[in-house]
Amino acid sequence: MAKLYFYYASMNAGKSTNLLQAAFNYAERGMATMLFAAAIDDRFMAGTITSRIGLTAPATPFDAQTDLAACVRERHAQDPLACVMVDEAQFLTPAQVDQLARLCDTDGIPVLAYGLRTDFRGDLFPGSARLLAIADSLVEIKSVCTCGRKATMNLRLDADGRAIAEGQQTEIGGNDRYVALCRRHFTEALGRQPATQALG
């Protein structure tokens, strides 16, 4: 049975690199895949998935209005797909996540979605929340905080490198705007009182 996988991590953990490696593995075995990239992410060339280590691959851009199921079924009818892969899956709408689940359940096409779990405030993205709720397999890709602990949070920085606690959920940026931290250092950077101190 085809499954919906959600590979999640903090910023700079290698999500796109993992996706591109998986796509390469399928291609090496002569299996067709379809890759999707978030249209909102304009850091690199449109219609591509680009990793920080320099790997790239062409991809179909998606936004909130994209009917992913229709795109996949049209392509699948021409060239049977072994797998669908989605980069920046946090930008999916909950309805699009449901479309991907139906592709697994009805069409028998596995879907691998890669994305952030939480935003710069520590809140779930709607797409990630839906993936966490219904994906068949949840896989954490590990990253490291500056202290050596596992990084699970994404701290947003302003132009002067100061932590930002307010603003729009989505603001595209790389290492110049975000840093992955463990929960302790994320909380300290935002000047929030740890829960244990607040209770004491």
Side-chain angles (χ1 to χ4, degrees), residues 60-84:
T60 301
F62 74 88
D63 61 24
Q65 282 69 50
T66 305
D67 186 333
L68 298 176
C71 293
V72 170
R73 287 176 178 137
E74 180 180 347
R75 172 80 178 277
H76 187 60
Q78 301 165 0
D79 185 17
L81 295 169
C83 186
V84 170

Side-chain angles (χ1 to χ4, degrees), residues 16-27 33 85 112 114:
S16 297
T17 302
N18 275 265
L19 183 156
L20 293 169
Q21 179 64 58
F24 176 83
N25 291 346
Y26 276 99
T33 59
M85 301 179 193
L112 282 58
Y114 296 77

Side-chain angles (χ1 to χ4, degrees), residues 54-123:
L55 302 175
T56 63
T60 301
F62 74 88
D63 61 24
Q65 282 69 50
T66 305
D67 186 333
L68 298 176
C71 293
V72 170
R73 287 176 178 137
E74 180 180 347
R75 172 80 178 277
H76 187 60
Q78 301 165 0
D79 185 17
L81 295 169
C83 186
V84 170
M85 301 179 193
V86 182
D87 195 33
E88 303 291 356
Q90 71 271 12
F91 297 131
L92 293 167
T93 66
Q96 287 172 322
V97 174
D98 290 342
Q99 289 176 15
L100 296 175
R102 283 193 297 276
L103 286 171
C104 297
D105 299 341
T106 305
D107 301 76
I109 304 171
V111 177
L112 282 58
Y114 296 77
L116 299 174
R117 183 180 59 162
T118 58
D119 65 14
F120 74 104
R121 294 177 300 237
D123 296 330

